[in-house]
């Protein structure tokens, strides 16, 4: 028995090392993504058969019937514009799935069409030598997966749908997620735990980038809950081509809306020259990939005016590969903020801007120390001792906090975490450290360029482990298998 256990452990460790050897660093994946330069967003789903982007969530599956759908046409159109990848809306906010899913009857397989659109899309784009990305909405109004209605069954459905998408359709370069922790979706990263979903994706496809379209809420100076910073131009989100230092994605529809409308065939599309000269070329130099949406019509084909514009784009530029080396960014913040909404204390505030503005989950508000206070301090207190290993301070603006001290309280005693100059002049300062337990965290400002003003003070406990998930269970002949859950290896043997 001991020999068998030893063999199991050796084989398990060897397999883990092999898995790790196949995994690229996040920075390498971010660079490769930026080097792709430009791709095609394809909004095609139940909204295509309505004249609005948010259809009735209980619309009959029979309405989805793109009788002439040709994903090869889509791929050739993208290729004509010198694009390098596609990204298809596998499920939008009304919950209709356009792949062969086992999780719901609300899918293309219940429609007259009965063809796996995701498969045909992936096959067509790969046949043209392009990468495959997928879009997925967390918000699902058909399944009643919406604010204040989320159940454990909903979360399991999300996980199972992502397992299907990441298991059955080959290599997925990136997963673009929407409807999650946006001001309009109101589904937080606590309602549907971001870290769990993030780690699930990485466990199935370690090289798959996870992108959440959350730029409406989070600051541009750090990667909050995403591997790639995203900007939706139509929602007023624009990358700073002068100051951006993060790997980024900017998206825009070629037509007037994301999904096809009856007016599209006779309405002029956006200028190909503008798409190239104002977007593709300058964004590439600013570490930003540009994704242009082209919406197929109800037949499942792209309109003639869109096809013509894509060919014009292809004449105006070609992908010469890397035009800028992406700076190495701090690892993304993926864990829940345990300081959010907790009781906050501090020195005298300025006017109404009191302490709880610094942990209200709103980066547009601030706690302002009163200018008369010479040594400001701020603290959050938990209801009991908790584990944590990261503190993130988001300043009101760049280059304000100069020097400070961080402490945590354990057993009634304050203990040091950090003291010194701010690690960066940017407004988001990230401090990672070995896991500690405490019931409070405090910051004392020692030097500030102007009045201390804190937008958000976050405390996190990042799960730290390298493990083999169920999708990577290591079969060991007839003797069993090895799998790691949480922080411990578990050996399961057949007797």
């Amino acid at each position: 028995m001991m020999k068998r256990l030893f063999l199991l452990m050796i084989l398990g460790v060897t397999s883990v090392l092999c898995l790790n050897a196949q995994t690229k660093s996040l920075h390498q994946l971010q660079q490769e993504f930026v080097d792709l330069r430009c791709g095609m967003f394809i909004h095609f789903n139940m909204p295509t058969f309505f004249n609005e982007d948010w259809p009735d969530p209980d619309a009959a599956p029979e309405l989805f019937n793109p009788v002439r759908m040709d994903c090869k046409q889509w791929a050739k159109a993208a290729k004509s514009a010198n694009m390098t990848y596609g990204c298809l809306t596998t499920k939008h906010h009304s919950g209709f799935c356009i792949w062969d899913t086992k999780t719901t009857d609300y899918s293309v397989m219940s429609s007259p069409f009965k063809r796996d659109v995701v498969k045909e899309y992936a096959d067509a784009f790969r046949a043209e030598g392009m990468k495959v990305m997928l879009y997925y909405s967390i918000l699902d109004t058909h399944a009643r997966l919406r604010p204040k209605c989320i159940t454990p069954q909903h979360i399991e459905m999300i996980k199972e749908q992502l397992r299907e998408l990441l298991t059955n359709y080959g290599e997925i370069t990136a997963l673009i997620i929407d409807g999650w922790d946006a001001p309009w979706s109101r589904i937080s990263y606590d309602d549907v735990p971001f870290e769990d979903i993030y780690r699930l994706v990485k466990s199935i496809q370690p090289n798959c980038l996870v992108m959440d379209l959350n730029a409406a809420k989070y600051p541009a100076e750090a990667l909050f809950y995403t591997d790639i910073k995203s900007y939706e131009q139509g929602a007023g989100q624009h990358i700073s081509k002068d100051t951006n230092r993060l790997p980024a994605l900017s998206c825009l529809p070629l037509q007037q809306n994301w999904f096809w409308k009856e007016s599209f065939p006779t309405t002029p599309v956006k200028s190909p020259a503008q798409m190239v000269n104002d977007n593709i070329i300058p964004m590439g130099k600013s570490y930003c990939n540009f994704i242009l949406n082209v919406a197929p019509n109800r037949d499942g084909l792209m309109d003639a005016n869109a096809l013509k514009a894509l060919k014009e784009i292809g004449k105006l530029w070609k992908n010469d590969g890397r035009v800028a080396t992406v700076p190495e960014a701090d690892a993304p913040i993926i864990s829940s903020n345990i300081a959010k909404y907790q009781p906050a204390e501090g020195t005298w505030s300025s006017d109404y801007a009191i302490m709880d503005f610094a942990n209200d989950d709103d980066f547009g508000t601030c706690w302002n120390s009163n200018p008369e206070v010479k040594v400001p301090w701020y603290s959050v207190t938990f209801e009991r001792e908790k584990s944590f290993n990261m503190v993130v301070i988001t300043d009101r603006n760049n280059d304000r906090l100069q020097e400070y001290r961080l402490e945590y309280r354990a057993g009634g005693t304050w203990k040091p975490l950090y003291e010194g100059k701010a690690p960066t002049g940017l407004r988001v300062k990230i401090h990672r450290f070995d896991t500690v337990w405490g019931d409070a965290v405090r910051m004392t400002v020692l030097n500030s360029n102007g009045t201390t003003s804190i937008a958000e003070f976050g405390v996190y406990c990042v799960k730290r482990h390298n493990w083999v998930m169920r999708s990577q269970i290591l079969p060991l002949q007839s003797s069993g298998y090895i799998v790691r859950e949480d922080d411990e290896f578990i050996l399961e043997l057949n007797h």
Side-chain angles (χ1 to χ4, degrees):
M1 176 61 74
M2 290 302 295
K3 288 182 178 180
R4 178 178 294 178
L5 285 172
F6 181 75
L7 177 61
L8 286 170
M9 293 179 71
I10 291 297
L11 288 173
V13 170
T14 302
S15 298
V16 171
L17 291 174
C18 290
L19 284 167
N20 288 342
Q22 297 167 3
T23 305
K24 299 177 181 178
S25 71
L26 179 57
H27 181 248
Q28 182 180 352
L29 294 169
Q30 291 166 334
Q31 181 70 64
E32 291 176 358
F33 174 78
V34 172
D35 292 346
L36 290 174
R37 301 290 302 280
C38 179
M40 178 183 282
F41 221 160
I42 305 165
H43 274 64
F44 183 66
N45 203 288
M46 188 61 82
T48 304
F49 295 85
F50 285 73
N51 224 34
E52 51 188 297
D53 286 0
W54 290 67
D56 180 354
D58 295 320
E62 288 76 16
L63 292 173
F64 188 88
N65 193 22
V67 291
R68 298 175 58 203
M69 189 189 81
D70 183 4
C71 294
K72 294 178 181 177
Q73 185 220 37
W74 307 352
K76 291 182 184 300
K79 195 74 171 178
S80 75
N82 293 319
M83 293 174 171
T84 56
Y85 67 91
C87 183
L88 175 66
T89 52
T90 64
K91 184 180 80 166
H92 203 250
H93 310 319
S94 58
F96 190 74
C97 300
I98 58 172
W99 75 95
D100 185 5
T101 179
K102 303 298 186 288
T103 63
T104 177
D105 292 333
Y106 199 58
S107 79
V108 66
M109 305 315 288
S110 297
S111 76
F113 195 58
K114 294 190 186 303
R115 284 160 54 185
D116 190 328
V117 181
V118 174
K119 182 180 188 306
E120 293 188 30
Y121 147 76
D123 290 346
F125 271 71
R126 289 198 181 100
E128 293 293 334
M130 289 182 283
K131 303 287 187 184
V132 172
M133 303 182 193
L134 301 176
Y135 165 107
Y136 178 87
S137 173
I138 294 292
L139 178 67
D140 183 337
T141 52
H142 176 80
R144 284 30 180 188
L145 199 168
R146 59 181 189 238
K148 301 186 181 1
C149 298
I150 297 170
T151 67
Q153 290 73 30
H154 282 134
I155 295 172
E156 186 51 43
M157 182 192 75
I158 291 169
K159 291 179 178 180
E160 190 55 39
Q161 289 182 346
L162 291 177
R163 286 188 191 103
E164 291 177 344
L165 292 170
L166 294 168
T167 301
N168 299 332
Y169 300 98
E171 181 180 0
I172 305 302
T173 299
L175 179 69
I176 297 181
I177 304 178
D178 198 8
W180 200 9
D181 211 36
W184 50 269
S185 75
R186 296 166 293 131
I187 298 174
S188 76
Y189 295 135
D190 300 318
D191 296 331
V192 176
F194 183 90
E195 187 168 8
D196 290 355
I197 302 300
Y198 184 90
R199 293 189 183 279
L200 172 66
V201 173
K202 300 293 185 177
S203 73
I204 301 170
Q205 293 211 27
N207 292 331
C208 179
L209 290 164
V210 177
M211 284 181 257
D212 191 21
L213 301 178
N214 62 13
K217 176 176 178 178
Y218 292 94
E221 292 80 12
L223 295 172
F224 283 88
Y225 305 98
T226 188
D227 289 333
I228 302 289
K229 190 69 182 171
S230 61
Y231 297 88
E232 185 179 336
Q233 294 188 41
Q237 302 161 15
H238 298 284
I239 188 171
S240 170
K241 297 170 185 175
D242 297 324
T243 63
N244 177 59
R245 304 293 292 170
L246 295 175
L249 171 72
S250 180
C251 56
L252 188 70
L254 178 65
Q255 295 126 320
Q256 289 70 45
N257 305 86
W258 292 107
F259 284 97
W260 188 84
K261 303 293 181 290
E262 293 171 357
S263 61
F264 278 12
T266 57
T267 303
V269 299
K270 293 182 176 69
S271 161
Q274 181 185 3
M275 296 303 96
V276 172
N277 297 322
D278 293 350
N279 291 280
I280 299 173
I281 292 175
M283 286 181 183
K285 297 174 183 178
S286 301
Y287 324 117
C288 185
N289 185 311
F290 179 63
I291 185 168
L292 181 65
N293 187 76
V294 187
N297 59 33
R298 290 173 187 168
D299 284 335
L301 299 172
M302 291 180 174
D303 293 331
N305 55 357
L307 295 174
K308 181 181 178 181
L310 290 168
K311 288 180 181 177
E312 288 298 316
I313 289 172
K315 293 176 183 177
L316 293 172
W317 90 291
K318 65 177 181 178
N319 190 343
D320 293 323
R322 183 173 304 177
V323 294
T325 300
V326 177
E328 192 150 3
D330 209 312
I333 296 161
I334 64 172
S335 305
S336 293
N337 177 10
I338 63 174
K340 184 168 57 177
Y341 306 135
Q342 297 302 303
E345 295 294 341
T347 45
W348 183 21
S349 304
S350 180
D351 207 284
Y352 70 91
I354 59 176
M355 302 80 174
D356 57 288
F357 280 112
N359 66 335
D360 62 351
D361 199 34
D362 184 345
F363 291 85
T365 62
C366 294
W367 164 64
N368 296 331
S369 175
N370 193 287
E372 297 298 319
V373 177
K374 303 306 180 186
V375 184
W377 62 266
Y378 174 89
S379 71
V380 290
T381 301
F382 312 127
E383 71 275 13
R384 56 179 173 78
E385 286 200 349
K386 294 187 175 184
S387 61
F388 50 92
N389 48 32
M390 182 167 67
V391 172
V392 179
I393 306 163
T394 303
D395 210 346
R396 181 179 188 138
N397 46 34
N398 292 339
D399 205 32
R400 183 178 288 252
L401 272 180
Q402 300 290 307
E403 190 174 353
Y404 49 85
R405 178 190 309 123
L406 291 173
E407 302 166 285
Y408 72 101
R409 188 174 65 196
T413 302
W414 288 101
K415 300 181 179 182
L417 282 173
Y418 175 82
E419 182 170 343
K421 294 183 178 179
T424 176
L426 299 177
R427 62 189 295 236
V428 181
K429 293 109 171 52
I430 301 175
H431 295 270
R432 302 177 193 266
F433 42 86
D434 292 337
T435 301
V436 298
W437 285 78
D439 66 357
V441 182
R442 181 172 66 189
M443 175 186 68
T444 303
V445 179
L446 305 176
N447 187 14
S448 180
N449 184 14
T451 303
T452 298
S453 184
I454 305 299
E456 282 296 306
F457 187 86
V459 181
Y460 307 81
C461 188
V462 183
K463 299 174 184 175
R464 290 178 176 172
H465 46 224
N466 295 313
W467 71 106
V468 182
M469 294 291 287
R470 287 180 175 84
S471 61
Q472 298 170 333
I473 286 175
L474 313 173
L476 300 175
Q477 299 179 8
S478 61
S479 56
Y481 54 85
I482 187 169
V483 60
R484 187 169 185 168
E485 295 185 349
D486 295 324
D487 290 321
E488 301 296 333
F489 272 112
I490 300 173
L491 293 175
E492 298 196 17
L493 303 176
N494 296 325
H495 294 286

